Amino acid sequence: MRQLLALVLFLSCLSPAIEASEGLHTQRISLQQEFSYARYPDAQAEAVNALLLHIAEGAGKLRVRTSYGVRIDMEMLLERVHRDSLLARVVAKEVSITGDKHYKDFSLEQLMIPDAFSIQWHVLDEQNDTVFHSAYQNQRLDIPLDDWPKHLFYFSGDLYGLSVAFDDLAMHYKAQMDDRLAKWRAALHSYYDASSSIDIIASELADLDPSDPNTLLLDEFKLCEAEAMAGQIRYAAFHDWLDLDAHDPEDVLTRFQNKKSQIDYLRQSFNHAIANLDALYYAEGSTLVVEEGWDAAKEAFASAVHYNPFHVPSHLGLAEADLRAGELVYALERLGHVIADMQPLNDSDKHSAELADTLVNTFFMHARELIEADRLTSSLDTLQHVRTFCSRVQSHYTCPEQLQYLVDTSHQGIYRSFLTVARRAIRNDDVGFARMYVESALDYQYRHQKHIPDALDAKHLLLRVMTRQRVLADIAMLGGNYDLSGDYRTQTAGLAGDHPDLFHYVYTHGDKEQLKAAALNYAVAGSPEESVSLLKKLKNMGLQASDLSYHQRTVAAEAAIWLRNMQPEADPDELLTGLTARDPWFQVFDKTFRARWQ
């Protein structure tokens, strides 16, 4: 990057730059670095080129003829801390911009100040010999004066004869420079957009007449559009980046304030006019509520809303009329529209909150009745209306925590209903039907984990299904029905294969009885490693080998048959070593395995 580095050295105006207190010496020097267009830029120069291009566009100049300088007033402070040592601190007292620094009369000086700088500095004695040397690398410029580094060096001579010299000045912009420039441009665009929008607002407001009932509603919409545009101007980005008190070429602040005052006045006038237009209908409806009831009053409230779709009290009257008539869904939908889109204030806000509480609690009461009657899907359908309402008004109304509780209870009830049917099927030895319902429970829990945190009950029941399949296989075998026994054993193996996470559940959460049953189940399912690991878990839980002799024999027999069919040429001793590591606790297992291998 081609940069012109000009070091302009001058003593501070406090010549000879010595403070009144003895043992303290200061010297101020101004340094300046010039920034201009770089033909072959590196990453640092690209940021400068982008800034210069922006300035050139605003000034109507060529980028190559646009440049600026950054001036830093450096100050050296020397303090004697011992007769032969000094404490030195070199700080940047002030940073300013010279040259081209305006875009369409807006000063970019704050944006153009570099983020950091690097420099070499030397403390020289009266013969211009260096007595101390240091450097700053990527030193930030925006730190407080007290945070600048301090340097201690030895020097016993006269400190008032010392001076400071600088070289290799290089100022840096960080990568965030592009982001700052983009935000500045966006702010500048928002400023000129605001100027144009003020003209549009002026044209929108010019013909508004709150005294003409024939155009009142149409003019109300125009006023709303003007208010929306004014809101965008009020919170536009230029407020954070431009000092309009110092320079406001489009006179945005004054023009906006004038239009804002006009909008506020018109808003009061239109509110008053609209209130007067629908006041008779609302008053009539209020009278009919007392004299004839809510049904009679409903038409009057509807007429008020017809003339003023934003008349909150009439909307609330219609919602309450729907509530009294048992039309709860209509009432809640209307109330959601009022709270979310109209944001009622003062008395209407209080009334809408009270009405919301009444409606929501009525839905809750119906949901509880449905839950007690085991009509759980109907309960969820009922609560869905409340969930939709709460989602719509969440910024303005806090729904009771009971909503989450009732939704959770309904989902958990549906989940438990699957398990209830599965238990009944197990008692009837309909293990296929039981498995189907347990899997439905697992699927339901997976899809509604927010409401059903775990599926331990379902997995426990799935283990019972697997156990019953094995038992039914044994019963069929004892009865001589070998085909049926084979079918049940196949079902046991299929369940184990389809639900690999069941083994982890049993191993992690199972009690002794469950582990015993699971060891037999996985043996029948053709999973000798899993069944042996479950026996090892029982051993680690303190059970004696004699307590599990039946389980060891059964698991060993099944393992031998399975492995002999799968690996007929394998060495049984090697297989036993892999399964039990010849642990004496598995003596019965080893003996049975060898006998069955023959």
PDB file of all heavy atoms in Angstrom, residues 489-517:
ATOM      1  N   ARG A 489     -39.875 -68.388  19.203  1.00  0.00           N
ATOM      2  CA  ARG A 489     -38.440 -68.098  19.310  1.00  0.00           C
ATOM      3  C   ARG A 489     -38.006 -67.110  18.223  1.00  0.00           C
ATOM      4  O   ARG A 489     -37.190 -66.211  18.457  1.00  0.00           O
ATOM      5  CB  ARG A 489     -37.631 -69.397  19.204  1.00  0.00           C
ATOM      6  CG  ARG A 489     -37.796 -70.325  20.399  1.00  0.00           C
ATOM      7  CD  ARG A 489     -37.111 -71.671  20.151  1.00  0.00           C
ATOM      8  NE  ARG A 489     -35.673 -71.531  20.116  1.00  0.00           N
ATOM      9  CZ  ARG A 489     -34.863 -71.648  21.172  1.00  0.00           C
ATOM     10  NH1 ARG A 489     -35.377 -71.905  22.363  1.00  0.00           N
ATOM     11  NH2 ARG A 489     -33.562 -71.521  21.053  1.00  0.00           N
ATOM     12  N   THR A 490     -38.568 -67.281  17.023  1.00  0.00           N
ATOM     13  CA  THR A 490     -38.265 -66.327  15.940  1.00  0.00           C
ATOM     14  C   THR A 490     -38.750 -64.933  16.301  1.00  0.00           C
ATOM     15  O   THR A 490     -38.074 -63.926  16.038  1.00  0.00           O
ATOM     16  CB  THR A 490     -38.918 -66.801  14.639  1.00  0.00           C
ATOM     17  OG1 THR A 490     -38.422 -68.099  14.293  1.00  0.00           O
ATOM     18  CG2 THR A 490     -38.622 -65.827  13.505  1.00  0.00           C
ATOM     19  N   GLN A 491     -39.940 -64.850  16.923  1.00  0.00           N
ATOM     20  CA  GLN A 491     -40.460 -63.544  17.343  1.00  0.00           C
ATOM     21  C   GLN A 491     -39.555 -62.915  18.403  1.00  0.00           C
ATOM     22  O   GLN A 491     -39.319 -61.702  18.405  1.00  0.00           O
ATOM     23  CB  GLN A 491     -41.877 -63.703  17.907  1.00  0.00           C
ATOM     24  CG  GLN A 491     -42.922 -64.074  16.874  1.00  0.00           C
ATOM     25  CD  GLN A 491     -44.289 -64.276  17.495  1.00  0.00           C
ATOM     26  OE1 GLN A 491     -44.601 -63.696  18.534  1.00  0.00           O
ATOM     27  NE2 GLN A 491     -45.108 -65.116  16.864  1.00  0.00           N
ATOM     28  N   THR A 492     -39.030 -63.749  19.314  1.00  0.00           N
ATOM     29  CA  THR A 492     -38.121 -63.232  20.346  1.00  0.00           C
ATOM     30  C   THR A 492     -36.867 -62.646  19.706  1.00  0.00           C
ATOM     31  O   THR A 492     -36.418 -61.543  20.048  1.00  0.00           O
ATOM     32  CB  THR A 492     -37.748 -64.355  21.318  1.00  0.00           C
ATOM     33  OG1 THR A 492     -38.934 -64.935  21.865  1.00  0.00           O
ATOM     34  CG2 THR A 492     -36.866 -63.812  22.444  1.00  0.00           C
ATOM     35  N   ALA A 493     -36.291 -63.394  18.759  1.00  0.00           N
ATOM     36  CA  ALA A 493     -35.093 -62.900  18.081  1.00  0.00           C
ATOM     37  C   ALA A 493     -35.396 -61.642  17.276  1.00  0.00           C
ATOM     38  O   ALA A 493     -34.603 -60.702  17.235  1.00  0.00           O
ATOM     39  CB  ALA A 493     -34.534 -63.995  17.169  1.00  0.00           C
ATOM     40  N   GLY A 494     -36.565 -61.607  16.632  1.00  0.00           N
ATOM     41  CA  GLY A 494     -36.934 -60.430  15.845  1.00  0.00           C
ATOM     42  C   GLY A 494     -37.101 -59.206  16.708  1.00  0.00           C
ATOM     43  O   GLY A 494     -36.694 -58.095  16.333  1.00  0.00           O
ATOM     44  N   LEU A 495     -37.704 -59.380  17.885  1.00  0.00           N
ATOM     45  CA  LEU A 495     -37.882 -58.228  18.784  1.00  0.00           C
ATOM     46  C   LEU A 495     -36.523 -57.696  19.233  1.00  0.00           C
ATOM     47  O   LEU A 495     -36.289 -56.475  19.257  1.00  0.00           O
ATOM     48  CB  LEU A 495     -38.727 -58.647  19.983  1.00  0.00           C
ATOM     49  CG  LEU A 495     -39.226 -57.509  20.893  1.00  0.00           C
ATOM     50  CD1 LEU A 495     -40.551 -57.898  21.550  1.00  0.00           C
ATOM     51  CD2 LEU A 495     -38.219 -57.134  21.952  1.00  0.00           C
ATOM     52  N   ALA A 496     -35.590 -58.607  19.577  1.00  0.00           N
ATOM     53  CA  ALA A 496     -34.265 -58.169  20.008  1.00  0.00           C
ATOM     54  C   ALA A 496     -33.554 -57.418  18.889  1.00  0.00           C
ATOM     55  O   ALA A 496     -32.883 -56.403  19.123  1.00  0.00           O
ATOM     56  CB  ALA A 496     -33.436 -59.376  20.444  1.00  0.00           C
ATOM     57  N   GLY A 497     -33.697 -57.911  17.656  1.00  0.00           N
ATOM     58  CA  GLY A 497     -33.041 -57.242  16.537  1.00  0.00           C
ATOM     59  C   GLY A 497     -33.663 -55.913  16.180  1.00  0.00           C
ATOM     60  O   GLY A 497     -32.970 -54.972  15.789  1.00  0.00           O
ATOM     61  N   ASP A 498     -34.988 -55.804  16.309  1.00  0.00           N
ATOM     62  CA  ASP A 498     -35.681 -54.565  15.952  1.00  0.00           C
ATOM     63  C   ASP A 498     -35.506 -53.474  17.003  1.00  0.00           C
ATOM     64  O   ASP A 498     -35.725 -52.295  16.720  1.00  0.00           O
ATOM     65  CB  ASP A 498     -37.175 -54.836  15.751  1.00  0.00           C
ATOM     66  CG  ASP A 498     -37.440 -55.707  14.532  1.00  0.00           C
ATOM     67  OD1 ASP A 498     -36.542 -55.784  13.665  1.00  0.00           O
ATOM     68  OD2 ASP A 498     -38.522 -56.318  14.457  1.00  0.00           O
ATOM     69  N   HIS A 499     -35.156 -53.859  18.217  1.00  0.00           N
ATOM     70  CA  HIS A 499     -35.023 -52.879  19.310  1.00  0.00           C
ATOM     71  C   HIS A 499     -33.667 -53.056  19.993  1.00  0.00           C
ATOM     72  O   HIS A 499     -33.576 -53.534  21.136  1.00  0.00           O
ATOM     73  CB  HIS A 499     -36.160 -53.044  20.330  1.00  0.00           C
ATOM     74  CG  HIS A 499     -37.506 -52.744  19.778  1.00  0.00           C
ATOM     75  ND1 HIS A 499     -38.017 -51.468  19.708  1.00  0.00           N
ATOM     76  CD2 HIS A 499     -38.446 -53.561  19.220  1.00  0.00           C
ATOM     77  CE1 HIS A 499     -39.224 -51.500  19.160  1.00  0.00           C
ATOM     78  NE2 HIS A 499     -39.498 -52.761  18.861  1.00  0.00           N
ATOM     79  N   PRO A 500     -32.582 -52.682  19.308  1.00  0.00           N
ATOM     80  CA  PRO A 500     -31.249 -52.851  19.911  1.00  0.00           C
ATOM     81  C   PRO A 500     -31.059 -52.042  21.184  1.00  0.00           C
ATOM     82  O   PRO A 500     -30.223 -52.376  22.008  1.00  0.00           O
ATOM     83  CB  PRO A 500     -30.305 -52.379  18.797  1.00  0.00           C
ATOM     84  CG  PRO A 500     -31.149 -51.499  17.912  1.00  0.00           C
ATOM     85  CD  PRO A 500     -32.524 -52.078  17.963  1.00  0.00           C
ATOM     86  N   ASP A 501     -31.814 -50.955  21.361  1.00  0.00           N
ATOM     87  CA  ASP A 501     -31.673 -50.147  22.566  1.00  0.00           C
ATOM     88  C   ASP A 501     -32.310 -50.794  23.788  1.00  0.00           C
ATOM     89  O   ASP A 501     -32.096 -50.342  24.919  1.00  0.00           O
ATOM     90  CB  ASP A 501     -32.285 -48.763  22.332  1.00  0.00           C
ATOM     91  CG  ASP A 501     -33.761 -48.827  21.973  1.00  0.00           C
ATOM     92  OD1 ASP A 501     -34.178 -49.846  21.381  1.00  0.00           O
ATOM     93  OD2 ASP A 501     -34.489 -47.870  22.281  1.00  0.00           O
ATOM     94  N   LEU A 502     -33.090 -51.858  23.606  1.00  0.00           N
ATOM     95  CA  LEU A 502     -33.717 -52.521  24.744  1.00  0.00           C
ATOM     96  C   LEU A 502     -32.660 -53.141  25.644  1.00  0.00           C
ATOM     97  O   LEU A 502     -32.787 -53.110  26.876  1.00  0.00           O
ATOM     98  CB  LEU A 502     -34.714 -53.582  24.245  1.00  0.00           C
ATOM     99  CG  LEU A 502     -35.442 -54.377  25.333  1.00  0.00           C
ATOM    100  CD1 LEU A 502     -36.256 -53.440  26.221  1.00  0.00           C
ATOM    101  CD2 LEU A 502     -36.341 -55.441  24.707  1.00  0.00           C
ATOM    102  N   PHE A 503     -31.617 -53.725  25.042  1.00  0.00           N
ATOM    103  CA  PHE A 503     -30.560 -54.326  25.852  1.00  0.00           C
ATOM    104  C   PHE A 503     -29.909 -53.269  26.740  1.00  0.00           C
ATOM    105  O   PHE A 503     -29.662 -53.506  27.927  1.00  0.00           O
ATOM    106  CB  PHE A 503     -29.511 -54.975  24.948  1.00  0.00           C
ATOM    107  CG  PHE A 503     -28.312 -55.462  25.710  1.00  0.00           C
ATOM    108  CD1 PHE A 503     -28.356 -56.660  26.412  1.00  0.00           C
ATOM    109  CD2 PHE A 503     -27.148 -54.706  25.754  1.00  0.00           C
ATOM    110  CE1 PHE A 503     -27.244 -57.099  27.132  1.00  0.00           C
ATOM    111  CE2 PHE A 503     -26.052 -55.139  26.471  1.00  0.00           C
ATOM    112  CZ  PHE A 503     -26.090 -56.343  27.158  1.00  0.00           C
ATOM    113  N   HIS A 504     -29.619 -52.091  26.174  1.00  0.00           N
ATOM    114  CA  HIS A 504     -29.007 -51.019  26.969  1.00  0.00           C
ATOM    115  C   HIS A 504     -29.926 -50.608  28.119  1.00  0.00           C
ATOM    116  O   HIS A 504     -29.459 -50.373  29.239  1.00  0.00           O
ATOM    117  CB  HIS A 504     -28.710 -49.814  26.081  1.00  0.00           C
ATOM    118  CG  HIS A 504     -28.183 -48.633  26.833  1.00  0.00           C
ATOM    119  ND1 HIS A 504     -26.909 -48.574  27.340  1.00  0.00           N
ATOM    120  CD2 HIS A 504     -28.793 -47.463  27.193  1.00  0.00           C
ATOM    121  CE1 HIS A 504     -26.741 -47.434  27.975  1.00  0.00           C
ATOM    122  NE2 HIS A 504     -27.853 -46.740  27.900  1.00  0.00           N
ATOM    123  N   TYR A 505     -31.230 -50.526  27.846  1.00  0.00           N
ATOM    124  CA  TYR A 505     -32.171 -50.167  28.907  1.00  0.00           C
ATOM    125  C   TYR A 505     -32.125 -51.192  30.030  1.00  0.00           C
ATOM    126  O   TYR A 505     -32.032 -50.850  31.219  1.00  0.00           O
ATOM    127  CB  TYR A 505     -33.592 -50.074  28.348  1.00  0.00           C
ATOM    128  CG  TYR A 505     -34.657 -50.233  29.419  1.00  0.00           C
ATOM    129  CD1 TYR A 505     -34.914 -49.216  30.318  1.00  0.00           C
ATOM    130  CD2 TYR A 505     -35.353 -51.433  29.552  1.00  0.00           C
ATOM    131  CE1 TYR A 505     -35.854 -49.371  31.323  1.00  0.00           C
ATOM    132  CE2 TYR A 505     -36.287 -51.599  30.551  1.00  0.00           C
ATOM    133  CZ  TYR A 505     -36.546 -50.575  31.444  1.00  0.00           C
ATOM    134  OH  TYR A 505     -37.459 -50.727  32.435  1.00  0.00           O
ATOM    135  N   VAL A 506     -32.209 -52.489  29.681  1.00  0.00           N
ATOM    136  CA  VAL A 506     -32.230 -53.528  30.710  1.00  0.00           C
ATOM    137  C   VAL A 506     -30.914 -53.527  31.484  1.00  0.00           C
ATOM    138  O   VAL A 506     -30.905 -53.599  32.716  1.00  0.00           O
ATOM    139  CB  VAL A 506     -32.481 -54.912  30.078  1.00  0.00           C
ATOM    140  CG1 VAL A 506     -32.446 -55.997  31.147  1.00  0.00           C
ATOM    141  CG2 VAL A 506     -33.809 -54.937  29.353  1.00  0.00           C
ATOM    142  N   TYR A 507     -29.813 -53.430  30.771  1.00  0.00           N
ATOM    143  CA  TYR A 507     -28.506 -53.471  31.429  1.00  0.00           C
ATOM    144  C   TYR A 507     -28.333 -52.281  32.371  1.00  0.00           C
ATOM    145  O   TYR A 507     -27.735 -52.410  33.436  1.00  0.00           O
ATOM    146  CB  TYR A 507     -27.402 -53.472  30.379  1.00  0.00           C
ATOM    147  CG  TYR A 507     -26.034 -53.786  30.938  1.00  0.00           C
ATOM    148  CD1 TYR A 507     -25.604 -55.104  31.055  1.00  0.00           C
ATOM    149  CD2 TYR A 507     -25.188 -52.773  31.363  1.00  0.00           C
ATOM    150  CE1 TYR A 507     -24.355 -55.404  31.579  1.00  0.00           C
ATOM    151  CE2 TYR A 507     -23.942 -53.054  31.900  1.00  0.00           C
ATOM    152  CZ  TYR A 507     -23.527 -54.377  31.997  1.00  0.00           C
ATOM    153  OH  TYR A 507     -22.297 -54.654  32.523  1.00  0.00           O
ATOM    154  N   THR A 508     -28.858 -51.117  31.988  1.00  0.00           N
ATOM    155  CA  THR A 508     -28.670 -49.890  32.772  1.00  0.00           C
ATOM    156  C   THR A 508     -29.698 -49.750  33.891  1.00  0.00           C
ATOM    157  O   THR A 508     -29.360 -49.368  35.018  1.00  0.00           O
ATOM    158  CB  THR A 508     -28.731 -48.659  31.857  1.00  0.00           C
ATOM    159  OG1 THR A 508     -27.781 -48.811  30.805  1.00  0.00           O
ATOM    160  CG2 THR A 508     -28.434 -47.385  32.633  1.00  0.00           C
ATOM    161  N   HIS A 509     -30.961 -50.062  33.598  1.00  0.00           N
ATOM    162  CA  HIS A 509     -32.038 -49.773  34.542  1.00  0.00           C
ATOM    163  C   HIS A 509     -32.665 -51.021  35.165  1.00  0.00           C
ATOM    164  O   HIS A 509     -33.465 -50.894  36.097  1.00  0.00           O
ATOM    165  CB  HIS A 509     -33.145 -48.979  33.841  1.00  0.00           C
ATOM    166  CG  HIS A 509     -32.685 -47.677  33.274  1.00  0.00           C
ATOM    167  ND1 HIS A 509     -32.444 -46.566  34.050  1.00  0.00           N
ATOM    168  CD2 HIS A 509     -32.388 -47.309  31.992  1.00  0.00           C
ATOM    169  CE1 HIS A 509     -32.037 -45.572  33.280  1.00  0.00           C
ATOM    170  NE2 HIS A 509     -31.986 -45.986  32.037  1.00  0.00           N
ATOM    171  N   GLY A 510     -32.356 -52.205  34.648  1.00  0.00           N
ATOM    172  CA  GLY A 510     -33.054 -53.395  35.101  1.00  0.00           C
ATOM    173  C   GLY A 510     -32.699 -53.799  36.529  1.00  0.00           C
ATOM    174  O   GLY A 510     -31.566 -53.646  36.975  1.00  0.00           O
ATOM    175  N   ASP A 511     -33.706 -54.338  37.258  1.00  0.00           N
ATOM    176  CA  ASP A 511     -33.437 -54.903  38.576  1.00  0.00           C
ATOM    177  C   ASP A 511     -33.010 -56.364  38.397  1.00  0.00           C
ATOM    178  O   ASP A 511     -32.846 -56.867  37.285  1.00  0.00           O
ATOM    179  CB  ASP A 511     -34.660 -54.777  39.479  1.00  0.00           C
ATOM    180  CG  ASP A 511     -35.904 -55.427  38.887  1.00  0.00           C
ATOM    181  OD1 ASP A 511     -35.759 -56.328  38.034  1.00  0.00           O
ATOM    182  OD2 ASP A 511     -37.022 -55.047  39.269  1.00  0.00           O
ATOM    183  N   LYS A 512     -32.831 -57.066  39.486  1.00  0.00           N
ATOM    184  CA  LYS A 512     -32.310 -58.431  39.413  1.00  0.00           C
ATOM    185  C   LYS A 512     -33.234 -59.345  38.624  1.00  0.00           C
ATOM    186  O   LYS A 512     -32.779 -60.136  37.784  1.00  0.00           O
ATOM    187  CB  LYS A 512     -32.096 -58.979  40.819  1.00  0.00           C
ATOM    188  CG  LYS A 512     -30.985 -58.280  41.585  1.00  0.00           C
ATOM    189  CD  LYS A 512     -30.846 -58.834  42.985  1.00  0.00           C
ATOM    190  CE  LYS A 512     -29.733 -58.098  43.757  1.00  0.00           C
ATOM    191  NZ  LYS A 512     -29.595 -58.602  45.137  1.00  0.00           N
ATOM    192  N   GLU A 513     -34.542 -59.252  38.893  1.00  0.00           N
ATOM    193  CA  GLU A 513     -35.480 -60.135  38.200  1.00  0.00           C
ATOM    194  C   GLU A 513     -35.522 -59.842  36.709  1.00  0.00           C
ATOM    195  O   GLU A 513     -35.597 -60.750  35.874  1.00  0.00           O
ATOM    196  CB  GLU A 513     -36.873 -60.001  38.822  1.00  0.00           C
ATOM    197  CG  GLU A 513     -36.959 -60.486  40.268  1.00  0.00           C
ATOM    198  CD  GLU A 513     -36.462 -61.938  40.418  1.00  0.00           C
ATOM    199  OE1 GLU A 513     -36.812 -62.761  39.553  1.00  0.00           O
ATOM    200  OE2 GLU A 513     -35.737 -62.215  41.381  1.00  0.00           O
ATOM    201  N   GLN A 514     -35.484 -58.548  36.368  1.00  0.00           N
ATOM    202  CA  GLN A 514     -35.484 -58.191  34.948  1.00  0.00           C
ATOM    203  C   GLN A 514     -34.208 -58.663  34.260  1.00  0.00           C
ATOM    204  O   GLN A 514     -34.244 -59.138  33.121  1.00  0.00           O
ATOM    205  CB  GLN A 514     -35.636 -56.673  34.797  1.00  0.00           C
ATOM    206  CG  GLN A 514     -37.013 -56.160  35.190  1.00  0.00           C
ATOM    207  CD  GLN A 514     -37.074 -54.642  35.200  1.00  0.00           C
ATOM    208  OE1 GLN A 514     -36.076 -53.984  35.460  1.00  0.00           O
ATOM    209  NE2 GLN A 514     -38.254 -54.100  34.947  1.00  0.00           N
ATOM    210  N   LEU A 515     -33.082 -58.554  34.943  1.00  0.00           N
ATOM    211  CA  LEU A 515     -31.824 -59.007  34.358  1.00  0.00           C
ATOM    212  C   LEU A 515     -31.827 -60.525  34.163  1.00  0.00           C
ATOM    213  O   LEU A 515     -31.323 -61.040  33.156  1.00  0.00           O
ATOM    214  CB  LEU A 515     -30.652 -58.595  35.254  1.00  0.00           C
ATOM    215  CG  LEU A 515     -30.344 -57.084  35.289  1.00  0.00           C
ATOM    216  CD1 LEU A 515     -29.362 -56.777  36.403  1.00  0.00           C
ATOM    217  CD2 LEU A 515     -29.787 -56.615  33.953  1.00  0.00           C
ATOM    218  N   LYS A 516     -32.399 -61.248  35.124  1.00  0.00           N
ATOM    219  CA  LYS A 516     -32.494 -62.703  34.981  1.00  0.00           C
ATOM    220  C   LYS A 516     -33.320 -63.074  33.753  1.00  0.00           C
ATOM    221  O   LYS A 516     -32.920 -63.914  32.932  1.00  0.00           O
ATOM    222  CB  LYS A 516     -33.128 -63.319  36.234  1.00  0.00           C
ATOM    223  CG  LYS A 516     -32.251 -63.287  37.472  1.00  0.00           C
ATOM    224  CD  LYS A 516     -33.021 -63.891  38.642  1.00  0.00           C
ATOM    225  CE  LYS A 516     -32.209 -63.844  39.923  1.00  0.00           C
ATOM    226  NZ  LYS A 516     -32.969 -64.427  41.059  1.00  0.00           N
ATOM    227  N   ALA A 517     -34.511 -62.446  33.645  1.00  0.00           N
ATOM    228  CA  ALA A 517     -35.376 -62.747  32.510  1.00  0.00           C
ATOM    229  C   ALA A 517     -34.701 -62.356  31.198  1.00  0.00           C
ATOM    230  O   ALA A 517     -34.765 -63.088  30.201  1.00  0.00           O
ATOM    231  CB  ALA A 517     -36.708 -62.014  32.667  1.00  0.00           C
TER     232      ALA A 517
END
